[in-house]
Amino acid sequence: MGFNDYTLIVGMAFLVAGFVKGVTGMGLPPIAIGLMAVAVPPVQAAALIVVPSMVSNVWQMLVGPGFLNAVRRFGLLLLMVCVGAAFGVGVLTGESPAYATLALGLVLFVYALLGLLKFHMHLNAQNERWASPLVGGLTGFLAGATGVSSVPSAPYMNSLGMSKDELLQALGLVFTVGTFALAVGLYFKGKFELAAAWESALCLVPTMAGVLAGQKCRALLSAETFKTVFFVGLLVLGGYMIARVLWL
C-alpha cells in the first residue's frame, strides 16, 4: 500500500469516526479501528487510536458530577480492565494477526447487535459486587486484543440505572483506563514507540474536524435514526471482517 493510500484510509477513518462521535457521543474506537482494519493491520490501527481516544475520553471522564465517586465505585472493575488488557494485548501483537481481526469483527458484530436490539438489563447493587470484576476483566481483554473497550462495559454500565451524566462519566472512565492499559501493553510489546505516538497524535486533526462537523449536524438529524444507521454499518463491517478470516 502506498503512502498516499495509507494516509487517505487513516484520515477518512478518523474523520468518519469523529463525525459519528460528534453526532451520537459514542463510536470513535469501533468505527476508526474497524475502518482502518480493513486495510491496516489491527495492531497498527490500535496504536493509532490511542491519542484521539485518550483525549476524547479524558474530557468525557472529567465532565460530570462525581468523578471521585465513580472511581471508588468502579475501582475493582478498573483494576480488572488493566489485568485483562495485559493478557489481551498478546492476541493483538501475536504472530497471526488473523486472530485479532476475527476478535475485532466479533466485538463489532456483538456491539452492533446489542445496539440494534436495544438490549437492556438491570442489576442491583448486590449483583454489581461480583459482576463488576468479571465485566472489567473481559472488557480489558477485548480492549487489549482489539483496541475496543465498549463491550461488555457499555451494556453493563447502562444496566446500573445511573443518570445520563453519571453513565457518560463512568464510561469515559472505563474507556480512558482501557486505552491507557492498551497503550502500556503495546509499549512493552514494542508496538507503541515515539513514531507511533506521533502518528496517533496527528490523527487528532481529522478526529476533531469530524467531531465539530458532527456536533453541527446533531441538531439537524434524528439521533435515534442515526444510531440505527451507525449500528447497521458496524454490523456489516464486523460481519465482513469475520467472513474474511473464516472463508476468504
Side-chain angles (χ1 to χ4, degrees):
M1 181 187 300
F3 175 78
N4 291 336
D5 292 336
Y6 170 82
T7 303
L8 179 62
I9 290 173
V10 172
M12 288 302 298
F14 279 98
L15 184 65
V16 172
F19 180 80
V20 172
K21 187 171 182 65
V23 174
T24 67
M26 62 180 184
L28 178 59
I31 287 285
I33 293 179
L35 291 177
M36 285 190 292
V38 173
V40 178
V43 64
Q44 186 177 355
L48 289 173
I49 197 69
V50 168
V51 174
S53 182
M54 184 68 74
V55 170
S56 61
N57 288 328
V58 166
W59 176 84
Q60 183 174 328
M61 173 184 72
L62 295 178
V63 176
F67 171 70
L68 293 179
N69 288 335
V71 172
R72 284 192 292 266
R73 179 176 181 179
F74 299 111
L76 184 56
L77 183 149
L78 299 174
L79 175 62
M80 292 305 297
V81 167
C82 296
V83 173
F87 288 96
V89 76
V91 176
L92 186 63
T93 58
E95 295 183 0
S96 177
Y99 292 112
T101 301
L102 178 61
L104 177 56
L106 288 170
V107 169
L108 293 177
F109 192 88
V110 172
Y111 180 58
L113 193 60
L114 291 174
L116 288 171
L117 295 176
K118 302 185 185 301
F119 176 78
H120 181 74
M121 61 180 181
H122 178 73
L123 291 178
N124 56 36
Q126 184 176 2
N127 291 328
E128 185 179 340
R129 294 172 186 169
W130 61 262
S132 279
L134 293 178
V135 170
L138 183 55
T139 295
F141 181 82
L142 291 175
T146 69
V148 177
S149 52
S150 303
V151 179
S153 61
Y156 171 72
M157 291 291 185
N158 195 42
S159 73
L160 299 179
M162 293 184 284
S163 69
K164 180 180 178 181
D165 290 339
E166 290 174 332
L167 176 61
L168 290 175
Q169 187 169 50
L171 287 175
L173 181 60
V174 174
F175 296 164
T176 298
V177 172
T179 303
F180 178 77
L182 171 65
V184 171
L186 291 174
Y187 173 79
F188 281 109
K189 293 288 186 178
K191 301 296 184 179
F192 191 67
E193 299 175 345
L194 182 60
W198 172 243
E199 284 190 48
S200 182
L202 289 176
C203 292
L204 274 172
V205 177
T207 299
M208 295 312 299
V211 168
L212 292 174
Q215 288 176 340
K216 289 184 178 180
C217 291
R218 181 184 296 172
L220 304 176
L221 299 174
S222 165
E224 195 64 31
T225 300
F226 193 89
K227 285 181 181 180
T228 300
V229 175
F230 163 63
F231 284 126
V232 168
L234 281 186
L235 194 72
V236 173
L237 182 59
Y240 165 76
M241 297 178 71
I242 294 170
R244 190 178 67 170
V245 173
L246 296 181
W247 292 295
L248 301 184

